[in-house]
Amino acid sequence: RLGADEFVLLLPRLNADPLEATKQIQAVAGKIFDALRQPYQIEQMEVSCSASMGVSVFGQGQETVAELLKRAELAMYQAKAAGRDTLRFFEPRMQAMVSARIALEAAMREAIREQQFELYYQPQCNDLGHIIGVEALLRWRHPLRGLVSPAEFIPLAEETGLILPIGNWVLQTACRQIASWAAQASLSALTIAVNVSARQFQQAEFVDQVLAQLRSTGANPHRLKLELTESMLVSQVEEMIAKMKALKAHGVSFSLDDFGTGYSSLAYLKRLPLDQLKIDQGFVRDILTDADDVAIARMVIALADSMGLVVIAEGVETEKQRELLASLGCHNYQGYLFSKPVPIQELEALVNRV
């Protein structure tokens, strides 16, 4: 027993053939899983256990005990990540993945300190092609790697909690931009949509943080739109509604992103103080050839209309897609047909040109 919930099992005299040894290990692990899953009584409660197992096979090299335990631990974390109550074998690529993860996390912490993050803005347009707002999109300009894909660092930021300081910086930067535009006639009416992660929104002090940023920057709250994802509606819905109402009372608006990709309850949806539904780009991409995508888009538009919400389609890349969406009743769009996400200087030039 190495710790409160960590144990080591040594299996000597395994078959020399790797495949046969693997089978033997799995057989022993199966017996342990079966034994732990058996329910037992603690006072009046029935309890059962599960285990996540990591396996390090040795005997071919000069590995130290510490190295073997580290390998088994890495494999165990893989088992936990896979859903727990399972077994994983250590592989060299596991070590490479973990090392890369540690390096990326360290680089993100440095990026926060050195202010390497920046915001790009993607226009949101109406039927006339007029820019009515923008979505703020996070970018990381690494001094050596250049622009790092958000798909690479956002999940890790969520997992490590770094999304909290990063998200607060995004909110502050967007509010400063709203305040800066207030004095410019061509830009003052634009809204900025800011994506909010579940981890951010679940903070007890989230409402106070947003209001503090609005006050400190002097931004008009009616120009700030917070984008939530449908996946956020699966837990703490009552608390979520209360926070939304508190911010709505100050003029902040809300958009539900990725709508149709999750499993949110319509009973909850109708209670949310939303202003906008976004048709996910996954339904727009093949809308010209996929009847199901057309049906889903029509449903979202009808639902938004019945609830008095504005609807916007993202991922619009062609004029034919826009025309079809318009025929269904969608009159606001975001996508490469109008503009890719661009730095602030390019966005302002684009607005003034249009």
Side-chain angles (χ1 to χ4, degrees):
R1 179 174 184 169
L2 293 186
D5 63 348
E6 288 189 333
F7 301 81
V8 171
L9 180 65
L10 184 64
L11 300 182
R13 296 184 297 277
L14 293 176
N15 195 296
D17 180 79
L19 180 58
E20 291 301 317
T22 299
K23 292 179 181 178
Q24 290 174 322
I25 293 168
Q26 289 176 320
V28 174
K31 292 179 182 178
I32 297 173
F33 282 132
D34 290 341
L36 289 175
R37 289 168 185 154
Q38 295 299 316
Y40 52 91
Q41 292 291 129
I42 295 182
E43 296 182 352
Q44 303 303 315
M45 293 188 300
E46 186 177 271
V47 182
S48 62
C49 288
S50 64
S52 297
M53 299 189 199
V55 177
S56 175
V57 180
F58 62 97
Q60 302 300 316
Q62 301 298 317
E63 304 94 341
T64 64
V65 172
E67 179 65 19
L68 291 172
L69 289 174
K70 184 63 176 177
R71 292 179 180 182
E73 186 178 44
L74 289 170
M76 179 193 68
Y77 286 134
Q78 286 290 110
K80 287 186 175 183
R84 303 176 182 269
D85 200 29
T86 188
L87 174 145
R88 288 291 185 270
F89 285 79
F90 173 84
E91 297 177 19
R93 63 185 178 87
M94 286 185 191
Q95 182 69 60
M97 289 169 58
V98 171
S99 298
R101 181 187 182 283
I102 293 172
L104 184 61
E105 181 180 347
M108 271 197 294
R109 293 185 185 279
E110 182 179 3
I112 295 172
R113 291 193 302 270
E114 300 298 325
Q115 299 182 338
Q116 295 171 4
F117 292 108
E118 55 189 77
L119 289 185
Y120 274 39
Y121 299 87
Q122 187 169 35
Q124 298 174 332
C125 301
N126 60 17
D127 270 334
L128 300 176
H130 296 158
I131 298 176
I132 56 176
V134 297
E135 179 179 358
L137 297 165
L138 182 65
R139 296 292 185 264
W140 176 11
R141 193 174 296 279
H142 191 277
L144 299 178
R145 297 177 57 187
L147 282 177
V148 182
S149 169
E152 182 178 350
F153 70 87
I154 291 293
L156 183 58
E158 292 270 10
E159 183 181 340
T160 59
L162 291 176
I163 196 64
L164 298 180
I166 293 173
N168 198 45
W169 175 85
V170 170
L171 185 63
Q172 181 185 63
T173 304
C175 287
R176 284 176 176 169
Q177 198 59 64
I178 291 172
S180 173
W181 284 346
Q184 304 178 55
S186 61
L187 299 164
S188 60
L190 296 183
T191 60
I192 295 184
V194 174
N195 293 284
V196 178
S197 75
R199 195 156 184 170
Q200 277 180 278
F201 205 89
Q202 288 167 1
Q203 295 178 97
E205 63 274 19
F206 178 74
V207 172
D208 291 337
Q209 287 178 352
V210 175
L211 296 179
Q213 295 289 11
L214 289 168
R215 284 193 299 269
S216 66
T217 59
N220 182 349
H222 292 89
R223 298 288 175 258
L224 177 64
K225 182 187 300 175
L226 300 182
E227 287 201 1
L228 313 177
T229 60
E230 189 177 4
S231 60
M232 294 170 64
L233 305 182
V234 298
S235 64
Q236 300 179 326
V237 177
E238 298 300 332
E239 182 181 335
M240 185 177 188
I241 293 172
K243 289 178 179 177
M244 291 175 69
K245 287 182 176 179
L247 288 171
K248 283 275 288 187
H250 287 83
V252 177
S253 59
F254 288 90
S255 176
L256 188 61
D257 199 3
D258 301 335
F259 184 69
T261 62
Y263 303 96
S264 60
S265 166
L266 291 179
Y268 282 129
L269 185 62
K270 70 179 184 180
R271 295 178 53 206
L272 295 175
L274 292 168
D275 300 274
Q276 183 184 74
L277 288 183
K278 294 188 80 173
I279 302 175
D280 185 72
Q281 60 184 338
F283 303 126
V284 174
R285 186 180 301 113
D286 299 320
I287 197 169
L288 297 175
T289 57
D290 192 322
D292 290 338
D293 286 342
V294 174
I296 291 171
R298 181 181 287 112
M299 178 274 294
V300 175
I301 294 166
L303 180 64
D305 185 59
S306 68
M307 297 174 65
L309 306 178
V310 174
V311 65
I312 182 170
E314 60 181 356
V316 180
E317 298 184 354
T318 70
E319 179 61 24
K320 288 189 178 298
Q321 289 175 333
R322 189 203 66 77
E323 290 175 353
L324 177 55
L325 287 162
S327 71
L328 297 174
C330 175
H331 303 293
N332 297 286
Y333 321 96
Q334 178 180 338
Y336 277 41
L337 174 63
F338 305 95
S339 173
K340 65 181 181 180
V342 294
I344 184 62
Q345 296 83 0
E346 290 186 37
L347 173 76
E348 292 179 347
L350 180 62
V351 173
N352 290 324
R353 186 165 64 247
V354 172

